[in-house]
Amino acid sequence: MHILHTRAELHSALQSKPRPVLVPTMGNLHAGHLALVARARELGSTVIASVFVNRLQFGPGEDFERYPRTLQRDAEQLRSAGCDLLFAPDEAQMYPSPQTFHVRPDPLLAGELEGASRPGHFEGVTTVVLKLLQLVQPGVAVFGKKDYQQLLLIRAMVEQFALPVHIEGVETVREADGLAMSSRNGYLDASQRAQAPQLHHALRELAQRVRAGCRADELRDAETAAEQRLRSLGWQPDYTSVRRRRDLQRPQPEDLARGDQLVVLGAARLGGTRLLDNLEI
Ligand code: PAF
């Protein structure tokens, strides 16, 4: 596997390997990322991963500074997973001048859930993803469903700007106790780690209530009950919410009657660590 640090190195490596499959990451890789690489290998002959901790998508007071940077270990894992190229630029390569042009994602999709809790987050995500797509020119880019809203926004951006890339979503990988794999799980101490699957359990219970035949006007009560349950266990929930899969809007009575596909999403803080998860119903 070749490691490329500069745009020039990337450009020259891609001369003989056009339109690869891209797996964008912020590093500190775990089995969830490796599942993205495995899917990428099924989809194309050249797989390129990127590792870049993108300052633009972190708000003031968030964990940009302490976000784990583990490039050497990441490179070893990517090599063993069969990745062909690793693009690991520094800030001067990604943002040679301050990034004053930004993608402004549709507020209907970007302003709620994660967007409401983390203002500006999706602007930062879509801006860096657009830039990575421009630099790498992949035929396919692979993202995890764990960041469900991110995946939908990237799909919408690609569609709106007619970008010539297919966006592939990959199922969330979980620990044996149900906790969704995340780089931020590493912030948890032993007792928080033992509690962490409670978020998944709360979403599962909420999903079961919906499956059992919740009416649209009962959804808010079910969501509040899930948040209260988390609060009683020592969490500070930002939201738990039942949404339509296709656009993440609240399901209307006619959506439920039609059997529209739904997803349950949640984000909550345990101590200083913010975890998020979702389940398709
Ligand atoms: O999902 C992530 O790790 C990041 O949001 C992404 C897509 C790599 C952009 O920085």
Side-chain angles (χ1 to χ4, degrees):
M1 183 182 75
H2 294 289
I3 304 182
L4 318 159
H5 291 287
T6 66
R7 292 182 184 206
E9 287 166 0
L10 175 69
H11 185 74
S12 104
L14 291 174
Q15 292 302 305
S16 56
K17 297 180 191 314
R19 302 197 67 71
V21 183
L22 171 65
V23 181
T25 81
M26 296 204 301
N28 196 235
L29 304 182
H30 49 67
H33 295 110
L34 300 181
L36 305 182
V37 175
R39 182 67 186 130
R41 277 169 53 95
E42 290 169 358
L43 294 172
S45 52
T46 302
V47 176
I48 175 165
S50 62
V51 170
F52 178 66
V53 184
N54 173 39
R55 183 189 291 277
L56 293 188
Q57 70 191 72
F58 289 80
E62 290 191 352
D63 55 345
F64 173 72
E65 300 298 343
R66 72 167 176 144
Y67 200 87
R69 279 125 171 121
T70 53
L71 187 60
Q72 204 177 326
R73 221 186 92 236
D74 294 341
E76 282 158 21
Q77 293 192 78
L78 288 168
R79 188 173 286 116
S80 314
C83 193
D84 302 292
L85 301 169
L86 165 58
F87 180 46
D90 63 9
E91 287 218 3
Q93 286 294 319
M94 276 310 277
Y95 302 123
S97 55
Q99 186 72 27
T100 50
F101 282 53
H102 294 139
V103 177
R104 188 165 64 83
D106 182 349
L108 206 60
L109 186 52
E112 293 199 44
L113 304 167
E114 282 307 282
S117 304
R118 306 183 66 190
H121 170 65
F122 286 125
E123 195 176 299
V125 169
T126 47
T127 299
V128 81
V129 169
L130 179 63
K131 203 151 181 176
L132 285 167
L133 294 175
Q134 276 301 114
L135 289 168
V136 176
Q137 307 269 318
V140 182
V142 184
F143 296 85
K145 282 195 185 179
K146 160 132 186 313
D147 294 298
Y148 207 88
Q149 195 176 3
Q150 166 176 287
L151 176 61
L152 254 71
L153 275 158
I154 291 167
R155 285 208 165 112
M157 173 177 76
V158 162
E159 205 250 333
Q160 287 260 315
F161 290 131
L163 304 177
V165 61
H166 167 75
I167 301 299
E168 177 78 2
V170 171
E171 293 304 325
T172 302
V173 178
R174 298 181 181 281
E175 303 281 2
D177 60 9
L179 175 66
M181 295 220 178
S182 162
S183 302
R184 292 190 168 99
N185 293 350
Y187 296 152
L188 302 168
D189 66 25
S191 90
Q192 291 169 335
R193 172 63 192 84
Q195 262 185 281
Q198 289 164 347
L199 176 60
H200 173 58
H201 297 161
L203 297 184
R204 217 172 45 194
E205 277 168 31
L206 183 51
Q208 271 157 7
R209 276 185 77 167
V210 177
R211 263 192 223 110
C214 211
R215 290 197 318 263
D217 62 331
E218 294 169 331
L219 285 178
R220 294 270 188 166
D221 288 346
E223 291 169 1
T224 307
E227 284 165 29
Q228 273 164 358
R229 169 127 187 79
L230 283 169
R231 224 170 260 121
S232 73
L233 293 167
W235 293 69
Q236 295 156 276
D238 280 345
Y239 61 83
T240 61
S241 198
V242 181
R243 299 294 172 116
R244 301 192 297 220
R245 277 194 218 177
R246 62 188 151 94
D247 58 6
L248 294 186
Q249 300 305 303
R250 292 190 174 277
Q252 302 303 307
E254 55 274 24
D255 300 323
L256 294 180
R258 249 199 329 258
D260 252 38
Q261 292 192 308
L262 303 176
V263 58
V264 177
L265 306 107
R269 266 168 228 284
L270 190 55
T273 305
R274 187 171 182 280
L275 299 179
L276 80 159
D277 201 352
N278 66 76
L279 280 178
E280 290 181 332
I281 302 180

